Amino acid sequence: MPNIEVRLARPEDAEGIAALYAEYVETTAAALDLAAPTAAQMEQKICNCGTSYPFLVCERDGDIVAYAYAFRRFEEQAFNWSVFVSAYSAVSIDGKGAGRALLDALEETLRAMGVVNIYTIVIHNDKSQYYHLARGFTEAGLLREAAYKQGKWRDLAYYQKSIALHDTNPAPVRSVGELDAKELEKIFARARRAIRL
């Protein structure tokens, strides 16, 4: 039985994460980058993201097989309670629940931080639409022929999901580093149990 670990990403995970993402960049239209980022560029993303927002990884026997992270797209302070999320799992384990479990753990972590809204933007297709709608997202808009990938202009779809109540005076959002380590471990343990690798 494989050893499955779900945890916060570390800088030394950058090479494995970059290799996983490169598969999407080079062989699918799912990733919006035209060139795969280097391990150094991915390490910078982990470090930039990890100071405020969760960047999670799933390891199987020491190899990164999935990751998910949250990030700010808008810097204005009124958007403090709204973040974007992204998740990828290795093509070889598609359908085994790792990406879904990490996204669940990401949502739980963000909720504990005080985030209210999560968004994602993806290439519009039936599979992606079904996946996001089944996970409680609603379609928030469509940008027609906005991205050029693999010789074709593609529509981009925005999806949104509220993960907490829209209070009239929301508490400030905490950074992931401010969360209790035991609380995080409980979230990660639930994610591990949901993965069927």
Side-chain angles (χ1 to χ4, degrees), residues 150-161:
Q150 293 184 331
K152 182 178 176 183
W153 286 99
R154 299 176 185 274
D155 297 341
L156 295 178
Y158 276 98
Y159 293 93
Q160 67 181 39
K161 182 178 182 179

Side-chain angles (χ1 to χ4, degrees), residues 115-155:
V115 170
V116 175
N117 304 303
I118 58 174
Y119 302 91
T120 190
I121 183 169
V122 296
I123 298 284
H124 185 61
N125 59 59
D126 290 342
K127 181 180 178 183
S128 181
Q129 183 179 43
Y130 174 79
Y131 176 82
H132 286 92
L133 295 180
R135 296 200 40 72
F137 284 81
T138 57
E139 196 165 317
L142 195 64
L143 303 177
R144 300 216 176 264
E145 297 182 331
Y148 185 76
K149 185 78 186 274
Q150 293 184 331
K152 182 178 176 183
W153 286 99
R154 299 176 185 274
D155 297 341

